[in-house]
Amino acid sequence: MNVIERFEQIVTKENVLENESMKSHTTFQAGGDARLFVMPRNEEETAKVISICRESHVDWMILGHGSNLLVSDAGYDGVVIWLKKYMNGCRTVGNEVIAQAGAMMPTVAREAWKNGLGGLEFASGIPGTVGGGLAMNAGAYGGEMRQVVKEALVLTKEGTLRTVTNEELQLTYRHSAVQSEHWIVLQVTFSLQKKDPDDIKARMDDYNGRRREKQPLEYGSAGSTFKRPEGYFAGKLIEDAGLKGYRIGDAQVSEKHAGFVINRANATASEIWRVCCHVKKTVKEKFGVDLEMEVKTVGSFDKISEG
């Protein structure tokens, strides 16, 4: 029995796709195909799929909304495990919201608001899943995951299920133990506070209004392309370097917010990558500051272009 047949036994045939385009699974709307694309329906299936990948020595990766990902034009010669289709539920128990890894952050923020629970307003416009948000300690407008996460159910690299606390998650700026320990997030429990739903909604509306006003939401992107360097703001450095509007093909430094590299229409992953590399090189030359990409890359990119 080959790998595909083993996957089909676990998740059913319709949930195993071959040569699936990643353009429709990433917010950059660019990139090639994934050799295999598997959609587990629960935690147990996820663990079994990963176990098969390990036993078969096949490369694999977890995918949520693809909002922090740039996949190369050559695609990914491995197995993409997509949690968003089925593992996207969330529910409220007392002052806690319990969300599966594939639940979208805005969905969880709305769940909290409808139940009069404050603390997740910052997440109402973050275009990613709970699993990805926890892995990178996502944040906006002064709020971060580390402020509201109580615990998470993860699958360890040894293949065991484990509940880890906020402290054990070691949540810091755009980083967590999920990354360093190679854990797979399956579920997150948020500990929140009772609050007037009208106040929660007003804050969410304010944040989302500011987001629409300042960010190029009309184009494909992965949000903030670069991490904030200590003592600086990436967007200001890029703007001061004269790079607003810098363009290769349909990939461009946004004219609205220089911290965003956007896909104007039909940019290739290579064009996006080359724009990012030029930004890094120019900012380093002008200001002596090393910009680190917040966006994760998958597949093969031209290393010479990194500058």
Side-chain angles (χ1 to χ4, degrees):
M1 187 181 297
N2 62 33
V3 171
I4 295 176
E5 291 170 336
R6 293 181 69 187
F7 287 152
E8 290 175 348
Q9 274 197 335
I10 294 169
V11 302
T12 71
K13 189 170 184 177
E14 60 267 28
N15 289 318
V16 181
L17 307 177
E18 294 185 67
N19 302 315
E20 176 73 0
S21 172
M22 294 301 287
K23 286 185 180 181
S24 57
H25 296 291
T26 60
T27 55
F28 256 136
Q29 300 165 20
D33 297 347
R35 183 161 66 88
L36 288 175
F37 194 87
V38 181
M39 296 166 276
R41 294 166 292 183
N42 52 51
E43 289 83 357
E44 291 75 22
E45 288 186 358
T46 303
K48 289 177 182 177
V49 167
I50 292 171
S51 178
I52 290 172
C53 290
R54 286 173 171 152
E55 291 169 8
S56 305
H57 304 289
V58 175
D59 288 337
W60 57 275
M61 60 171 282
I62 297 290
L63 178 70
H65 188 54
S67 57
N68 198 43
L69 198 65
L70 178 62
V71 179
S72 79
D73 296 315
Y76 178 63
D77 188 26
V79 180
V80 171
I81 302 168
W82 194 40
L83 302 185
K84 183 183 166 189
K85 181 173 183 179
Y86 295 109
M87 295 172 58
N88 57 19
C90 63
R91 58 193 172 92
T92 300
V93 180
N95 284 6
E96 296 178 351
V97 172
I98 303 167
Q100 289 182 294
M104 290 293 290
M105 296 281 280
T107 300
V108 180
R110 287 194 296 270
E111 171 74 11
W113 157 53
K114 290 175 182 178
N115 287 278
L117 296 174
L120 275 171
E121 294 91 331
F122 75 89
S124 61
I126 295 177
T129 59
V130 166
L134 181 64
M136 66 175 294
N137 186 30
Y141 301 110
E144 288 183 309
M145 293 287 275
R146 65 178 166 185
Q147 299 167 353
V148 289
V149 169
K150 176 185 177 183
E151 61 189 22
L153 176 66
V154 302
L155 185 67
T156 69
K157 58 187 175 184
E158 292 79 25
T160 58
L161 291 174
R162 179 182 168 195
T163 298
V164 290
T165 64
N166 181 298
E167 184 178 356
E168 290 172 312
L169 285 163
Q170 300 173 29
L171 297 160
T172 56
Y173 177 66
R174 300 300 176 264
H175 187 72
S176 72
V178 172
Q179 298 177 43
S180 54
E181 297 293 333
H182 304 289
W183 292 333
I184 295 140
V185 181
L186 298 174
Q187 181 177 281
V188 178
T189 300
F190 297 93
S191 181
L192 307 170
Q193 305 81 37
K194 283 292 183 183
K195 194 174 180 181
D196 186 334
D198 291 338
D199 291 342
I200 296 172
K201 185 63 163 54
R203 181 166 291 188
M204 288 168 62
D205 289 344
D206 174 51
Y207 290 161
N208 290 324
R210 284 195 258 170
R211 190 182 294 271
R212 286 190 297 271
E213 179 185 347
K214 296 179 179 179
Q215 298 181 10
L217 303 181
E218 65 272 30
Y219 295 108
S221 80
S224 297
T225 308
F226 301 95
K227 293 181 180 180
R228 185 178 67 241
E230 190 172 353
Y232 299 92
F233 290 99
K236 187 174 189 310
L237 286 170
I238 297 166
E239 183 173 354
D240 290 348
L243 291 170
K244 243 186 179 184
Y246 176 80
R247 181 172 178 174
I248 297 176
D250 268 349
Q252 183 181 42
V253 175
S254 170
E255 296 172 298
K256 192 173 187 179
H257 190 314
F260 287 64
V261 174
I262 60 172
N263 179 354
R264 293 188 60 87
N266 297 301
T268 64
S270 177
E271 289 169 345
I272 294 168
W273 174 250
R274 287 162 58 203
V275 168
C276 293
C277 291
H278 180 75
V279 167
K280 290 172 63 177
K281 181 179 179 181
T282 305
V283 168
K284 176 67 172 178
E285 289 174 347
K286 287 184 176 288
F287 306 113
V289 178
D290 290 307
L291 289 180
E292 182 183 351
M293 285 183 66
E294 189 168 305
V295 178
K296 308 298 182 186
T297 57
V298 171
S300 177
F301 287 89
D302 180 9
K303 297 301 178 184
I304 297 174
S305 299
E306 284 189 272

